[in-house]
């Protein structure tokens, strides 16, 4: 499944690593997805809320299972949480540009979890 197909068919997303800082890429992805009608759960244990919405400390705390889990953070931070993310077998993992490493991709492939990487969700949503 490619990025455009995911965005057309999947409507419930979790974004791990969303920042409150409106200048950060993770915040821009979060707001763009909300503006285009997706259900998006921000996940970051550092915040209780982001842009007036509840921010969840972990995937386990979400009120609904996401169909897609985006990991928008530095690869070394993803390495720290990857084992807990790999336990989610029924969601697609999405690693935007600069949010993955070869080691991360190898681990996800070995876990046989569907994923995409190096694709910007904003560009795919807006059609560029």
């Amino acid at each position: 499944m490619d990025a455009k197909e995911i965005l057309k068919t999947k409507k419930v997303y979790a974004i791990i690593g969303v920042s409150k800082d409106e200048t950060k890429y993770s915040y821009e992805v979060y707001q763009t997805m909300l503006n285009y009608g997706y259900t998006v759960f921000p996940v970051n244990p550092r915040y209780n809320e982001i842009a007036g919405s509840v921010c969840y400390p972990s995937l386990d705390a979400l009120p609904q299972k996401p169909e897609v889990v985006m990991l928008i953070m530095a690869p070394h931070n993803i390495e720290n949480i990857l084992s807990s993310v790999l336990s989610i077998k029924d969601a697609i993992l999405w690693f935007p540009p600069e949010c993955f490493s070869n080691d991360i991709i190898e681990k996800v492939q070995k876990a046989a979890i569907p994923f995409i990487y190096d694709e910007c969700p904003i560009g795919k949503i807006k059609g560029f």
Side-chain angles (χ1 to χ4, degrees), residues 25 70-72 94-100 117-121:
Y25 177 68
M70 288 187 185
L71 293 98
I72 306 180
W94 189 325
F95 301 92
E98 299 182 28
C99 299
F100 64 92
Y117 69 101
D118 208 19
E119 295 277 355
C120 175

Side-chain angles (χ1 to χ4, degrees), residues 9-74:
T9 61
K10 308 298 181 190
K11 299 300 176 196
V12 181
Y13 293 75
I15 301 178
I16 300 175
V18 176
S19 175
K20 281 184 127 173
D21 183 341
E22 295 179 14
T23 66
K24 298 287 186 179
Y25 177 68
S26 61
Y27 185 89
E28 183 182 4
V29 171
Y30 175 67
Q31 284 299 329
T32 299
M33 294 191 78
L34 287 177
N35 291 342
Y36 278 80
Y38 295 95
T39 298
V40 187
F41 297 107
V43 178
N44 191 327
R46 296 182 352 189
Y47 308 118
N48 292 322
E49 64 86 24
I50 292 180
S53 296
V54 173
C55 184
Y56 299 90
S58 67
L59 291 173
D60 294 335
L62 296 179
Q64 185 177 354
K65 278 190 163 188
E67 297 171 285
V68 179
V69 176
M70 288 187 185
L71 293 98
I72 306 180
M73 56 181 63

Side-chain angles (χ1 to χ4, degrees), residues 8 21 40 48 58 83 99 103 109-110 112-113 123 125:
K8 284 181 186 174
D21 183 341
V40 187
N48 292 322
S58 67
S83 61
C99 299
D103 189 47
Q109 286 174 326
K110 285 181 185 174
I113 295 174
I125 290 169

